[in-house]
Amino acid sequence: MSLFEVKNITVAFGGVKALNDVSFGIDKGEIFTIIGPNGAGKSTLFNVISRIYEPSKGEIYFENQNISKTKPHNISKLGIARTFQNLELFENATVLQNLLLGRHIYKKTNILSEVFFTPSARKQEHEYRLKVEEVIDFLDLQHYRDTLINGLPYGVRKNVELARALCTDPKLLLLDEPSSGLTNEETIDLGFWIKDIQSLLGITIIMIEHDMSFVNKVSDRILALNYGKILASGLPEEIKNNEDVKQAYMGE
Ligand SMILES: Nc1ncnc2c1ncn2[C@@H]1O[C@H](COP(=O)(O)OP(=O)(O)OP(=O)(O)O)[C@@H](O)[C@H]1O
Ligand SMILES: [Mg+2]
């Protein structure tokens, strides 16, 4: 049984179908990569999963639950986290502050208990801090924990965006172009981290990527989109040799 499934998803902007009858399923523990030329509909798919965009047709299932009508803020509570193609961090806050905010969705406390700082609120605050420190260690961010985001190099910011998603303790992680803008060395490190997120943390990953050598190194399976439609799906080796995929990229 799939951990995650989209069935016949169609998204239209005016006359343009950004996604056209897209269906696929992902097993628990997979690294599943979505490739495709610019404008293929990749980020639109993430925006549908995060419930930012409303599909005109189709359904989404997570752990066998239909989440097509789930409110956006409840998606993260179910265990789905994402990073954005254009980083969405608080520029004038530190790394630590950004990560503590990422954890916010898990607060079970209410306003009153926070105002009076009851034992249960204190316990939760302590748990968030532990999780955040764990992620800071995991992604080697110790050195930057008290630095403002706007003072950080791009590669480190991307890492903070990834860290923020991990702080919500996701079961499914959506990464929109994690390697874009990174140096070769940073991309190599990212590959190791993504593999570690899969194997050590047991998190299932859907990744949108353009860097095909990176894609082939880390992906278990690949789905190729073009003009909102599925062009091909399969193992990296199969996609590499797929004529339709080669054709789509040559036109770019
Ligand atoms: N909010 C929106 N309003 C109108 N059109 C949109 C909107 N979001 C996406 N689109 C259109 O949908 C199509 C798919 O866009 P999308 O951002 O999903 O592409 P992508 O595959 O992520 O491309 P890239 O590789 O450039 O990030 C494009 O034609 C885009 O212009
Ligand atoms: Mg995109």
Side-chain angles (χ1 to χ4, degrees), residues 5 23-24 36 40 52 64-65 84 87 107 111 120 142-143 151 160 186 200 221-222 230 246:
E5 214 169 344
S23 302
F24 63 89
I52 295 170
N64 298 323
Q65 184 188 341
F84 289 88
L87 307 182
K107 285 213 167 172
I111 285 291
S120 84
Q142 302 92 334
H143 185 65
V160 176
E186 286 169 338
L200 302 179
R221 278 194 304 144
I222 299 172
I230 294 181
K246 283 187 200 165

Side-chain angles (χ1 to χ4, degrees), residues 153-158 178-193 214:
Y154 187 74
V156 181
R157 289 178 193 219
K158 291 220 48 147
S179 89
S180 82
L182 298 187
T183 63
N184 284 342
E185 204 176 301
E186 286 169 338
T187 304
I188 292 169
D189 283 346
L190 177 70
F192 286 118
W193 272 321
F214 179 70

Side-chain angles (χ1 to χ4, degrees), residues 85 145 149 168 173 178 189 224:
Q85 190 168 348
R145 66 199 294 288
I149 298 298
T168 65
L173 181 60
D189 283 346

